[in-house]
């Protein structure tokens, strides 16, 4: 089996091993091939193989240790921060089919919270987008976005069911540059429950997002509500102070 030629060898091996776990080629709960077997298969030394396996241990895709052979555990790959903004890019990066069903695109006065986050005066208009986001055709998240009028106007002649709104806005020259995410839990309201096919007050993971331009101008305030069975989030800190945020897909029973 050949790996991609992009990136360091241990990262390419890690990606291939993870693909095998998520595809079921390496069955969950079963030991994966030994280091010696992997070295022979890929024609590499033990160093890159060990690094790749260690990466999957840290991410939870391999369990076991202390003399025991590592065992495959199906879990969602993390999403690089560069694509954290886009549900579509994240879904495609983990080999899933993204989907969406637009509930509404409307010009209306900003809610008090959206106005405060976007730095707008009370009563100013925004363009609101509400979509149900799908993974492999299954409801996963309710997406609510409030765009400042100058940005939101681009949605009037774009079909949000056709794909990534962020990709379209970037294509049109909108300077999406920075996003600050706040993650907490919230009970499903009546709209959430209907769209996600759950009971009212079912617990959901909420990600509130403030997206800004390179100059720090707020462009969008988002409120995304995920089914916990479909996605989780991780934050990795390093001693150097670097933070990496990841979104994961959880496996359903």
């Amino acid at each position: 089996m050949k790996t991609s030629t992009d990136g360091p060898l241990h990262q390419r091996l890690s990606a291939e091993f993870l693909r095998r776990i998520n595809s079921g080629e390496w069955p969950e709960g079963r030991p994966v091939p030994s280091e010696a077997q992997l070295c022979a298969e890929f024609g590499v030394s033990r160093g890159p193989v060990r690094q790749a396996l260690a990466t999957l241990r840290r991410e939870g895709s391999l369990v076991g240790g202390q003399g025991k052979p590592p065992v495959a555990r199906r879990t969602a790959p993390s999403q690089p921060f560069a694509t954290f903004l886009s549900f579509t890019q994240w879904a495609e990066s983990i080999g899933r089919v993204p989907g969406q069903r637009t509930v509404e695109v409307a010009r209306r006065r900003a809610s008090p919270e959206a106005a405060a986050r976007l730095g707008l005066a009370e009563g100013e208009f925004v363009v609101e987008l509400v979509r149900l986001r799908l993974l492999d055709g299954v409801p996963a998240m309710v997406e609510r976005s409030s765009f400042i009028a100058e940005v939101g106007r681009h949605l009037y002649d774009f079909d949000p069911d056709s794909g990534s709104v962020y990709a379209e806005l970037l294509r049109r020259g909108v300077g999406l540059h920075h996003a600050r995410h706040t993650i907490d839990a919230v009970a499903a309201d009546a709209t959430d429950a209907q769209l996600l096919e759950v009971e009212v007050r079912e617990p959901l993971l909420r990600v509130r997002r403030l997206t800004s331009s390179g100059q720090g101008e707020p462009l969008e305030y988002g409120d995304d509500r995920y089914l916990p069975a479909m996605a989780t989030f991780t934050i990795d800190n390093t001693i150097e102070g670097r933070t990496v945020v990841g979104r994961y897909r959880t496996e359903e029973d």
Side-chain angles (χ1 to χ4, degrees), residues 156-242:
Y156 295 146
D157 57 357
F158 172 70
D159 178 9
D161 282 352
S162 66
S164 171
V165 167
Y166 292 118
E168 177 65 16
L169 292 176
L170 288 169
R171 188 185 69 81
R172 295 184 183 220
V174 177
L176 302 170
H177 181 269
H178 173 77
R180 181 181 183 88
H181 301 84
T182 302
I183 303 172
D184 61 4
V186 67
D189 61 21
T191 300
D192 297 332
Q194 180 181 10
L195 292 173
L196 293 171
E197 302 173 9
V198 297
E199 297 294 327
V200 174
R201 300 197 61 77
E202 187 88 6
L204 304 175
L205 283 173
R206 178 172 64 172
V207 181
R208 287 173 289 176
R209 176 183 60 259
L210 182 63
T211 309
S212 304
S213 69
Q215 292 71 45
E217 176 192 9
L219 302 177
E220 177 228 10
Y221 174 64
D223 181 320
D224 299 339
R225 303 183 180 192
Y226 290 80
L227 285 172
M230 298 297 287
T232 60
F233 297 84
T234 64
I235 299 175
D236 293 328
N237 294 315
T238 70
I239 196 168
E240 294 85 6
R242 183 169 56 89

Side-chain angles (χ1 to χ4, degrees), residues 38-56:
L38 293 171
C39 289
E41 177 181 353
F42 290 93
V44 298
S45 64
R46 285 183 181 266
V49 169
R50 286 178 175 172
Q51 283 183 279
L53 295 174
T55 296
L56 297 187

